[in-house]
Amino acid sequence: MKNRNLIREKMGKPVFFTLTHCSKKLRGTSNKYNYKANMHKLCFVDSRFYNVKYQASIITDCNFRNASIIGVDFFNCNMRGTSFKNAKLENVVFYNCNLKNVDFSGTSFSNVTFICTNLQVTNNLNIDDPEIKVMHTYKSLDLNESVKLGLLELANNESLFHAKVLHVNKGKLNNWALNLILLKHGDSGIEMLEKVLHKKEQWDNMYIVFSYILLIENMKKK
């Protein structure tokens, strides 16, 4: 696998994280964007994840018991059979995920959002928890036209566009993510975000929705 990945790197091709059927207890990760990761039957007990996005990934039959999962976005992921038993989930987004038989026994939630995801097939999830938000209806954004154009222009900034938080593609905004930011900080927050993001070319580790919310909060403190 290492040799294959080295060859792909030399050819300029993307390298996808793949690890399955590993009984060893693994550490978590931080400040990372994972596209098409393939993780099956892995042990992340007591591990820590921070500022991580999994896009179009397979995370099946994995064990996140007692894990601390803070600022993690799961977008279009197959997570069938995975366990979050007694885990801490904070500022986490599940978007269009397969959560069949995912176990949330004793899970602690803080600002966790499920978008376009079937929750009827999960185990031990209390959707009445006030820290859980469930969204199914796509809302169009009524943004100022100049702000909208400014956000679209940011797609030319590869450090922001790479993880596709604000954008679906170069010509389309990610309304789901922007609506979460709007719910937290309103139109003024979006306007502030658009102005701030244009001020420098390189933005590090902007992989998740919460990283943009945090940026607005930090700007408001100044």
Side-chain angles (χ1 to χ4, degrees):
M1 183 182 70
K2 288 182 179 179
N3 290 334
R4 188 165 59 246
N5 287 345
L6 284 172
I7 292 170
R8 291 185 68 86
E9 284 181 358
K10 289 178 180 178
M11 295 176 66
K13 294 183 177 181
V15 175
F16 308 124
F17 177 77
T18 299
L19 184 63
T20 66
H21 296 87
C22 179
S23 59
K24 181 181 177 181
K25 185 176 174 182
L26 303 170
R27 294 179 298 175
T29 187
S30 61
N31 300 317
K32 193 169 185 180
Y33 171 67
N34 292 281
Y35 179 62
K36 289 189 175 180
N38 183 6
M39 305 187 297
H40 179 65
K41 286 197 174 182
L42 302 184
C43 178
F44 292 108
V45 172
D46 297 318
S47 61
R48 183 178 186 272
F49 291 79
Y50 179 79
N51 189 33
V52 180
K53 180 172 183 177
Y54 287 99
Q55 176 84 41
S57 296
I58 297 171
I59 311 171
T60 49
D61 291 325
C62 291
N63 188 354
F64 290 92
R65 179 167 51 85
N66 296 327
S68 180
I69 301 171
I70 303 172
V72 177
D73 287 356
F74 300 98
F75 272 53
N76 300 300
C77 293
N78 180 4
M79 307 183 72
R80 176 182 44 78
T82 284
S83 173
F84 291 102
K85 187 174 182 180
N86 296 326
K88 173 185 178 183
L89 271 59
E90 181 178 336
N91 299 314
V92 173
V93 177
F94 295 90
Y95 171 80
N96 191 35
C97 290
N98 176 7
L99 300 184
K100 186 174 182 179
N101 295 326
V102 171
D103 187 7
F104 290 103
S105 300
T107 307
S108 170
F109 297 95
S110 177
N111 190 33
V112 176
T113 306
F114 295 91
I115 302 173
C116 297
T117 296
N118 183 5
L119 303 181
Q120 302 300 315
V121 294
T122 63
N123 296 329
N124 306 304
L125 177 66
N126 177 18
I127 60 173
D128 294 324
D129 188 318
E131 291 295 329
I132 291 176
K133 187 188 294 94
V134 180
M135 301 172 68
H136 289 291
T137 305
Y138 188 85
K139 291 179 63 178
S140 60
L141 291 176
D142 186 22
L143 295 177
N144 179 286
E145 194 62 28
S146 64
V147 173
K148 188 183 296 184
L149 289 173
L151 291 171
L152 282 170
E153 285 176 11
L154 289 168
N156 296 318
N157 185 324
E158 285 302 318
S159 66
L160 293 176
F161 181 74
H162 176 60
K164 293 187 175 64
V165 178
L166 298 181
H167 308 89
V168 175
N169 53 48
K170 295 275 183 166
K172 185 177 181 181
L173 295 172
N174 185 340
N175 283 10
W176 287 113
L178 287 169
N179 265 307
L180 290 178
I181 298 171
L182 268 171
L183 286 171
K184 190 72 176 179
H185 292 292
D187 289 332
S188 62
I190 295 288
E191 292 170 9
M192 181 186 296
L193 183 67
E194 185 265 331
K195 291 178 181 177
V196 169
L197 292 176
H198 276 286
K199 288 186 176 180
K200 65 177 184 176
E201 294 182 3
Q202 187 68 33
W203 288 93
D204 298 324
N205 304 326
M206 301 295 285
Y207 300 136
I208 59 170
V209 174
F210 186 68
S211 60
Y212 289 85
I213 291 174
L214 196 58
L215 179 62
I216 296 172
E217 292 176 353
N218 289 335
M219 291 302 301
K220 285 184 175 181
K221 292 176 183 177
K222 295 183 178 180

